[in-house]
Amino acid sequence: GDKLKAGDHIILIESSGIHANGVTTIREQIVSKLPQGYLTPLPNGKTLAEALFKKTHIYAALQQAFFEQGVDLHYETHISGHGWRKLMRAQRDFTYRLHVIPPPPDEFRLIQETGKFTAEQMYAAFNMGAGFAFYVPGEQAVLVQEIARNLGYQSWDAGIVKEGSRQVIIEPKG
């Protein structure tokens, strides 16, 4: 995090779904409330079980491509276990202001509705469709997204690092 600075862009890379964050909560608080349990169908035609046990993306090849193509990475972090709070994991006093968020996969909507969780609780605990974040100078944001796309990942130039107190602000969610 030593290179992280105000003005850096926050590039979010898609998750493959739930990853490992919150699986205990889901098992204990959600599945037991669903009449069909793990076999509950999702709007995308898959079952909750298929969504929960989907292979987690491994982002090492993406990181390697960034290094090989000279991307000036200022910081990076996975988004799991503590959800989007991980965006402020660097021990620096910055405000991480997000203006774009990925659409959450169907399983997150089911979890939120069944568990009666607020948006704040969901983003504090789950990845909500973003599995990794890279922080880069603004002039490299397009290159980072191009590399990600070439490797089959969807990405979003989602926000910016600002001077301010250590917090994550997800503008679309208030």
Side-chain angles (χ1 to χ4, degrees), residues 49 64 69 76 80 84 91-92 98-99 105 140 143 150:
Q64 182 176 349
Q69 295 192 39
E76 58 186 79
S80 65
W84 285 38
Q91 298 300 307
R92 307 284 303 279
L98 286 295
H99 51 266
Q140 290 199 319
L143 173 61
N150 289 341

Side-chain angles (χ1 to χ4, degrees), residues 11-30:
I11 310 298
L12 297 178
I13 309 295
E14 69 177 334
S15 71
S16 56
I18 203 80
H19 289 188
N21 54 13
V23 172
T24 300
T25 298
I26 295 163
R27 188 179 62 246
E28 293 174 355
Q29 297 180 28
I30 305 302

Side-chain angles (χ1 to χ4, degrees), residues 138-158:
E139 64 272 9
Q140 290 199 319
V142 171
L143 173 61
V144 166
Q145 288 193 276
E146 181 181 307
I147 294 168
R149 184 175 43 257
N150 289 341
L151 289 175
Y153 292 101
Q154 186 169 2
S155 67
W156 299 266
D157 185 353

Side-chain angles (χ1 to χ4, degrees), residues 92-110:
R92 307 284 303 279
D93 286 330
F94 286 123
T95 294
Y96 304 86
R97 186 171 289 277
L98 286 295
H99 51 266
V100 172
I101 58 175
D106 290 340
E107 59 268 25
F108 292 111
R109 286 188 220 109
L110 176 69

Side-chain angles (χ1 to χ4, degrees), residues 1-12 74-77 84-101 133-135 158-172:
D2 291 344
K3 291 179 73 177
L4 187 65
K5 62 183 179 182
D8 283 347
H9 282 229
I10 303 166
I11 310 298
L12 297 178
H74 286 186
Y75 189 66
E76 58 186 79
T77 187
W84 285 38
R85 292 178 289 183
K86 288 283 176 96
L87 294 173
M88 62 178 178
R89 189 175 192 188
Q91 298 300 307
R92 307 284 303 279
D93 286 330
F94 286 123
T95 294
Y96 304 86
R97 186 171 289 277
L98 286 295
H99 51 266
V100 172
I101 58 175
F134 293 95
Y135 301 72
I160 194 158
V161 177
K162 299 275 195 178
E163 295 289 341
S165 61
R166 194 164 170 231
Q167 62 182 329
V168 174
I169 297 172
I170 305 171
E171 292 174 355

